[in-house]
Amino acid sequence: MAAGLLTASCGGGGGNGGGGTTPPPTPVPVTPPPPPPATKLNAVAVTKKMRFGSAIGGRRNPPISTLGDASYRSLVAQQCGLIVPENELKWQTISPDARTIDFSAADDMLAFATENGLAMRGHNLIWHQDRWLPSWLATYDFGPDVAAGTRQLIIDHVTGVVGHYGSKIASWDVINEAVDPGTGLLYQTRLSRNLGSPEAVIDLAFTTARAVAPAGTQLVYNDYAGWEAGNDAHRAGVLRLLTGMKARGVPIDAYGVQSHLGIYSIDPATGTGRYEEGPWRAFLDAIVALGLDLIITELDVRDDALPADVTVRDTAIAKYVRAYLDLMFGYKQLRDVLVWGMVDPYSWLQSIPRSDGLARRPNPYDGAYQPKPMQTAIGDAFTATSARS
Ligand code: XIL
């Protein structure tokens, strides 16, 4: 901050009587007060025994995506207590073919995290839909006993990835998005058909992760069933899955509430998006009654029903996020909040355009790395909640 010079007032000129010349004003050096710093979100979160974090992607060297962007990295280092790789630990990414396992991008991310005192989550071991599984699975030779070969492949994959990181990753999305939102039924995949059921894949992934991971590692089922209307079947399917897993004794610790929020219609009473508070609370109540913790793993906002005006949009998005976090923070089982990216232009949602073609504003920071009202809303929600035990 540059020091400024302020001209000191010497009272009414010529006050010393006489008709002499007024002495020149004495310059007094003054450092202008700094602008109030943007709230450091994780610094507020930790006062409540919570954490704030973000997805980050790519590599430092050669520079790719957000991890390759020095401004983005310093924002993350300043604001976050944990990170999660956006794509770098997905099965298809680390194993583009059946014989390759390449952890180099995720390892670089972990090095960045360690250098900056950040934790790193693991996302994800199995994204249980054919279109997100490695494409080579379509032609993979599972051997003469297809079920046994499939079991071994899942065990080897989970063991390899979880074992590679050991105690360096303390929370894993073991299974991602296994529930079809349209029907609430579990997706069938190449893996589940070979093993006889989706549950067989899911249970094996969790039991393997538990056997390999150090004691205390958090094992998470992660999905996007949200609080907006139209998610009844999805919520019911997720709850059925979690209930079944607990009944079968599957080692699961938490439900990852992805929290890709959407403003698809405006509630005139609030000027922001609608949501179904009753069904949403019932869903969360039932999950925590199973003994599961909650994590907000991928928070961002689609602003489809909001007008083009940036101020109006940002204000309504912030209000929606604040309402969401206030509700979610009522659950003491929730400690970690991660956004799916810090800076709007990098968001994955830019590839899903608004109908007017305008850039989306889903994240807490704008393209100039300046905090938006959503950033303030997150900080205010942490400030308003009570400390976890
Ligand atoms: C997205 C990434 O952000 C994109 O870069 C990628 O092309 C597809 O996946 N739910 C998840 C995340 O669990 O892994 C997804 O991430 C977003 C939705």
Side-chain angles (χ1 to χ4, degrees):
M1 186 67 57
L5 283 182
L6 204 67
T7 304
S9 163
C10 294
N16 59 349
T21 52
T22 305
T26 315
V28 178
V30 174
T31 302
T39 304
K40 294 188 177 180
L41 294 176
N42 190 61
V44 185
V46 296
T47 67
K48 306 301 168 81
K49 298 194 173 69
M50 300 174 77
R51 293 187 296 183
F52 174 78
S54 176
I56 185 166
R59 288 174 186 268
R60 285 186 287 190
N61 194 8
I64 298 171
S65 190
T66 48
L67 187 60
D69 175 341
S71 302
Y72 195 100
R73 285 200 304 272
S74 58
L75 185 63
V76 166
Q78 178 201 55
Q79 293 287 324
C80 294
L82 75 166
I83 59 170
V84 62
E86 184 169 358
N87 291 303
E88 290 65 25
L89 277 175
K90 290 171 182 170
W91 193 351
Q92 175 70 33
T93 310
I94 57 175
S95 294
D97 63 68
R99 283 168 304 282
T100 305
I101 292 203
D102 179 1
F103 292 114
S104 59
D107 286 357
D108 182 35
M109 202 169 283
L110 180 62
F112 161 73
T114 308
E115 288 159 22
N116 289 282
L118 310 174
M120 184 162 108
R121 300 197 66 238
H123 174 83
N124 54 62
L125 295 173
I126 298 181
W127 193 341
H128 198 241
Q129 297 174 37
D130 272 332
R131 70 189 188 115
W132 297 114
L133 284 166
S135 50
W136 49 261
L137 278 177
T139 52
Y140 184 75
D141 178 7
F142 290 95
D145 182 339
V146 169
T150 304
R151 278 187 70 81
Q152 198 57 53
L153 182 73
I154 293 170
I155 290 170
D156 289 348
H157 170 62
V158 172
T159 302
V161 180
V162 174
H164 179 78
Y165 289 99
S167 60
K168 294 175 187 143
I169 290 186
S171 175
W172 281 100
D173 293 335
V174 178
I175 295 284
N176 199 42
E177 299 181 4
V179 177
D180 181 337
T183 62
L185 301 175
L186 296 172
Y187 288 108
Q188 292 284 355
T189 64
R190 292 164 195 126
L191 301 176
S192 67
R193 289 194 179 89
N194 291 353
L195 278 195
S197 72
E199 287 89 342
V201 175
I202 294 166
D203 294 6
L204 179 60
F206 274 88
T207 51
T208 306
R210 180 59 92 225
V212 179
T217 304
Q218 182 184 51
L219 303 184
V220 180
Y221 173 73
N222 191 48
D223 212 328
Y224 61 89
W227 73 345
E228 297 86 3
N231 285 309
D232 310 37
H234 201 183
R235 284 184 222 124
V238 168
L239 184 57
R240 200 159 41 239
L241 170 64
L242 298 176
T243 305
M245 289 173 74
K246 289 300 285 187
R248 297 192 296 274
V250 177
I252 173 172
D253 303 302
Y255 174 55
V257 193
Q258 287 189 5
S259 309
H260 293 293
L261 306 183
I263 300 175
Y264 302 120
S265 68
I266 304 295
D267 179 350
T270 62
T272 191
R274 296 175 200 272
Y275 53 92
E276 295 186 330
E277 180 168 346
W280 181 243
R281 284 190 188 278
F283 173 65
L284 297 174
D285 289 349
I287 291 173
V288 298
L290 293 170
L292 298 176
D293 284 333
L294 302 172
I295 311 184
I296 292 180
T297 50
E298 306 185 13
L299 176 65
D300 58 16
V301 185
R302 293 177 207 214
D303 55 10
D304 294 67
L306 292 172
D309 183 273
V310 163
T311 307
V312 174
R313 269 206 277 167
D314 284 356
T315 305
I317 289 168
K319 192 169 183 185
Y320 201 59
V321 166
R322 179 70 198 273
Y324 184 73
L325 294 180
D326 282 352
L327 189 159
M328 296 302 293
F329 287 2
Y331 291 87
K332 293 297 173 279
Q333 297 84 354
L334 177 73
R335 289 186 174 77
D336 292 340
V337 176
L338 293 99
V339 291
W340 204 243
M342 294 289 277
V343 171
D344 289 336
Y346 280 114
S347 172
W348 71 301
L349 293 173
Q350 303 300 357
S351 65
I352 309 170
R354 276 169 60 103
S355 58
D356 59 10
L358 289 177
R360 292 183 179 274
R361 301 183 66 81
N363 296 346
Y365 285 79
D366 66 17
Y369 302 84
Q370 294 305 305
K372 294 160 48 198
M374 177 175 167
Q375 197 269 4
T376 310
I378 297 170
D380 289 349
F382 278 124
T383 301
T385 195
S386 52
R388 316 286 111 151
S389 55

